[in-house]
Amino acid sequence: AHDIYTRAVASLKPLAAAHPESADFVGSCARALMQLASVDNRLARTSQADAAYAEAWALLCGLEARHVAGRNLRKDLAEVANNYGLRLMAGGDRDKAFEVLEHGFTVSSALALAFPGDALTLAAELCNQGRAAEAEPIAAECVRQLERLTASHPDLADYSRYLGSALVTASAIHLTLGFVDRARDEARRAVELLAAMAAAQGGKGY
């Protein structure tokens, strides 16, 4: 996998440099760098992982400055911010870490608000890849945003349905991380919410 992503980065870097406004080229290069960083991290190649995360972050932020942040860009920024920010924190660069994590939180909040399905899919994918710690803040933000939206718009079933899905996703993530009580509470809330929705529709499901 390391060789594959190394070759992918080598192929995509010239294209990203030649077309800095291209979401396709720049986004693809950043995603390849993120995958390479993840592999380097698993191989305990710390400095290489840090460099790849930093480069991916710089590419995505440059793209964000040229474009209105679309769905894929928001997902990529949210994912790399958590990884890069935590690595900066571990390395002692707290000011830069705070800057990156704060930006990532802003993006995650916007993603959860505008595209809750995308945010939940990203969280679930990360958890399925064994990256529950990265998925947790995204799922938690989805729950917070959807709780607010559900309270503000109780007549819109989509928000309640997404909240139920967010609670299920958060429960699975917290169970994976060993937070059993929190996972149990989220699962209970999801069941109660979805059961209430089904009952409101005459038992026909939601």
Side-chain angles (χ1 to χ4, degrees), residues 16-63:
H19 304 280
E21 76 293 341
S22 169
D24 289 336
F25 290 140
V26 177
S28 295
C29 186
R31 285 188 287 275
L33 282 161
M34 290 158 61
Q35 293 294 337
L36 179 60
S38 181
V39 174
D40 277 330
N41 191 42
R42 290 198 297 270
L43 295 174
R45 295 161 55 97
T46 305
S47 60
Q48 292 92 331
D50 289 348
Y53 278 131
E55 191 169 357
W57 180 251
L59 283 172
L60 292 172
C61 287
L63 190 60

Side-chain angles (χ1 to χ4, degrees), residues 20 52 62 83 106 110 118 124 147 179 191 196 204:
N83 288 291
T106 300
D118 283 7
E147 284 176 335
F179 302 127
V191 169
K204 297 179 181 180

Side-chain angles (χ1 to χ4, degrees), residues 80-148:
V80 75
N82 189 56
N83 288 291
Y84 184 37
L86 292 177
R87 297 200 66 83
L88 286 167
M89 188 72 73
D93 191 347
R94 300 181 69 84
D95 288 342
K96 181 65 174 177
F98 180 78
E99 175 189 324
V100 171
L101 290 170
E102 184 177 43
H103 192 162
F105 178 78
T106 300
V107 171
S108 294
S109 298
L111 183 66
L113 183 61
F115 307 109
D118 283 7
L120 289 173
T121 298
L122 173 60
E125 287 176 355
L126 290 172
C127 188
N128 290 338
Q129 293 172 17
R131 301 160 66 184
E134 299 170 39
E136 197 280 335
I138 298 171
E141 182 58 23
C142 282
V143 171
R144 282 191 292 270
Q145 292 282 4
L146 288 164
E147 284 176 335
R148 184 176 63 80

